[in-house]
Amino acid sequence: MVSKNSSKPQEKCIGVIGVGSFGTVIANMLAEKNQVMVYARKEEVVLEINTVHSAQGKSLNPNIKGTSSPKEICEACEVLFLMISSSGFQDVVQSFAPYLFPYHLVIHGTKGLCLNLEKGQTLDSVKKIKRSQILTMSEVILQETVVVRVGCLAGPNLSKELTQSLPAATVIASKYNEVILEGQSLLRSEKFQVYGNSDIIGVELSGVLKNIIAIAAGALAGLKLGENAKGLLISRGMVEMVHLSNALGGSVKSVIGLAGIGDLVTTCNSVNSRNFTVGFRLANGEKLDEILASMDEVAEGINTIRVIKAFLETADLRAPITEYLYRVLFENYDIKEALQFLMKYPFNVDIDFF
């Protein structure tokens, strides 16, 4: 489109909702090619963005403008990246819903699950849940808004490394090829490869489920049980992810791809992973409440374990890593005993899903 007052093409503006670690990184990457507007709920954060080009101390590209108005960012940007933790995701989407239209294209980067329960119900009150009561983030967007073109961004994308411009890759998943192509065009660079995948549910579930295994990997590291044990955990964890993903509507190909095994290996080996850190600190004797109180951002795997455990109560399926981590996190089961049991768990077949 050409401006009436200039022959220079008008640059499009890309929106980013959320300025946590990952949201800030994605905003900076997008700002290399386009004008970017970011949404932050707190006015003081918006002021910081627009005056000193940082968000809660994290440096931002000068091409990035801040706003606290859902209406403003939705009117200015047809393409929006949602970078909100799963605990607040549904509330944020609901607050944006009046300003979103079918022409918007929305890509989220949240690795978590929401629950579709009746009013007044909670996970603690229902105990058992069916697949229809579990929502991936794309399903939340489709349920709460009139947006049609929805995508997911997932992969081994540790914010600290991306901030340092270290080589990395991600997956844009969507049922719509134009969403994948748009995401690739906006984010791909010499140091950041962007792959496409049409199985959005499988990619979302892969990013969600690997957080469970990452907590167990952190516990292994905290107990100094060695690299052989880690290799065992990662391989058995991948098998558990495959069966859970299949039961929830995802495909095997996504679990064995970049958003699954690629992200799993990264998070199970990184002290920069919040979920790995939770497991590590549990193994060193800290209580879950203490760990959560001292963390700046959410470790998504904790809520995922609660949701999947409730799902297992209605599914004809065993997921031993998830089940024993639930006992450790919420029933005061000793983490050393849990890991010892998992090491002896009677798996008779190595790979049983091909």
Side-chain angles (χ1 to χ4, degrees):
M1 183 171 69
V2 179
S3 169
K4 293 178 181 179
N5 300 320
S6 170
S7 60
K8 182 181 178 181
Q10 220 175 28
E11 287 186 345
K12 63 181 176 182
C13 184
I14 310 301
V16 177
I17 301 168
V19 285
S21 298
F22 194 39
T24 302
V25 168
I26 292 298
N28 278 329
M29 294 171 74
L30 292 167
E32 293 297 322
K33 298 180 181 180
N34 290 282
Q35 292 293 320
V36 173
M37 182 180 291
V38 298
Y39 168 85
R41 182 173 52 85
K42 297 178 180 177
E43 289 290 351
E44 60 268 28
V45 176
V46 174
L47 181 63
E48 179 191 356
I49 293 167
N50 291 332
T51 54
V52 295
H53 305 301
S54 67
Q56 300 170 98
K58 298 180 288 289
S59 180
L60 285 175
N61 188 303
N63 281 343
I64 298 172
K65 175 189 174 183
T67 181
S68 61
S69 167
K71 185 174 186 285
E72 181 182 8
I73 194 171
C74 290
E75 288 181 350
C77 308
E78 291 188 14
V79 179
L80 296 163
F81 285 77
L82 265 75
M83 302 292 155
I84 304 292
S85 67
S86 64
S87 59
F89 194 91
Q90 198 158 21
D91 288 341
V92 170
V93 171
Q94 288 171 350
S95 70
F96 273 75
Y99 313 108
L100 290 169
F101 296 92
Y103 66 76
H104 282 106
L105 188 156
V106 177
I107 298 172
H108 78 82
T110 303
K111 297 173 181 177
L113 298 169
C114 287
L115 291 177
N116 187 25
L117 302 177
E118 294 179 14
K119 191 173 182 179
Q121 286 186 324
T122 65
L123 187 55
D124 290 328
S125 67
V126 297
K127 300 294 184 183
K128 299 179 181 181
I129 55 176
K130 300 176 182 178
R131 172 61 178 95
S132 60
Q133 296 173 292
I134 300 172
L135 297 175
T136 67
M137 300 300 105
S138 69
E139 290 171 333
V140 171
I141 297 167
L142 292 170
Q143 176 176 284
E144 301 289 350
T145 77
V146 296
V147 174
V148 176
R149 296 177 299 164
V150 175
C152 164
L153 186 156
N157 302 144
L158 296 172
S159 300
K160 186 174 181 180
E161 292 191 6
L162 293 177
T163 301
Q164 297 168 345
S165 297
L166 295 174
T170 197
V171 174
I172 299 284
S174 179
K175 293 179 180 179
Y176 297 93
N177 198 45
E178 63 183 297
V179 175
I180 295 170
L181 294 174
E182 183 72 10
Q184 289 175 325
S185 173
L186 292 171
L187 287 170
R188 183 176 279 162
S189 68
E190 289 184 3
K191 293 188 177 180
F192 195 64
Q193 178 60 272
V194 184
Y195 296 95
N197 191 320
S198 60
D199 176 29
I200 184 170
I201 298 298
V203 166
E204 288 178 298
L205 290 171
S206 295
V208 166
L209 296 171
K210 61 87 189 171
N211 285 331
I212 298 174
I213 314 305
I215 293 175
L220 277 181
L223 294 173
K224 297 181 172 60
L225 294 182
E227 297 302 315
N228 288 331
K230 185 192 295 181
L232 172 62
L233 173 71
I234 291 174
S235 61
R236 298 320 308 172
M238 186 191 72
V239 173
E240 185 161 310
M241 286 171 61
V242 166
H243 290 302
L244 285 171
S245 182
N246 276 339
L248 292 162
S251 72
V252 173
K253 71 174 185 177
S254 294
V255 178
I256 63 176
L258 186 66
I261 189 67
D263 202 0
L264 177 65
V265 170
T266 299
T267 355
C268 287
N269 285 283
S270 175
V271 294
N272 294 322
S273 160
R274 295 188 292 274
N275 294 286
F276 180 96
T277 300
V278 167
F280 188 90
R281 292 174 65 177
L282 283 169
N284 281 281
E286 293 186 62
K287 299 297 183 184
L288 181 60
D289 290 344
E290 299 170 359
I291 297 170
L292 296 180
S294 66
M295 295 184 76
D296 293 330
E297 296 190 79
V298 177
E300 299 282 9
I302 296 168
N303 184 59
T304 301
I305 288 170
R306 295 182 71 226
V307 172
I308 297 301
K309 175 63 166 58
F311 171 69
L312 291 172
E313 298 297 326
T314 65
D316 184 22
L317 187 67
R318 293 300 308 274
I321 298 172
T322 303
E323 292 171 54
Y324 272 82
L325 279 177
Y326 179 89
R327 295 180 66 181
V328 169
L329 292 172
F330 304 108
E331 296 177 354
N332 295 315
Y333 194 77
D334 184 75
I335 195 161
K336 293 179 183 178
E337 290 187 28
L339 290 173
Q340 286 171 359
F341 175 85
L342 289 171
M343 293 293 290
K344 299 173 185 176
Y345 193 85
F347 296 108
N348 296 317
V349 180
D350 184 15
I351 296 296
D352 59 358
F353 53 82
F354 282 119

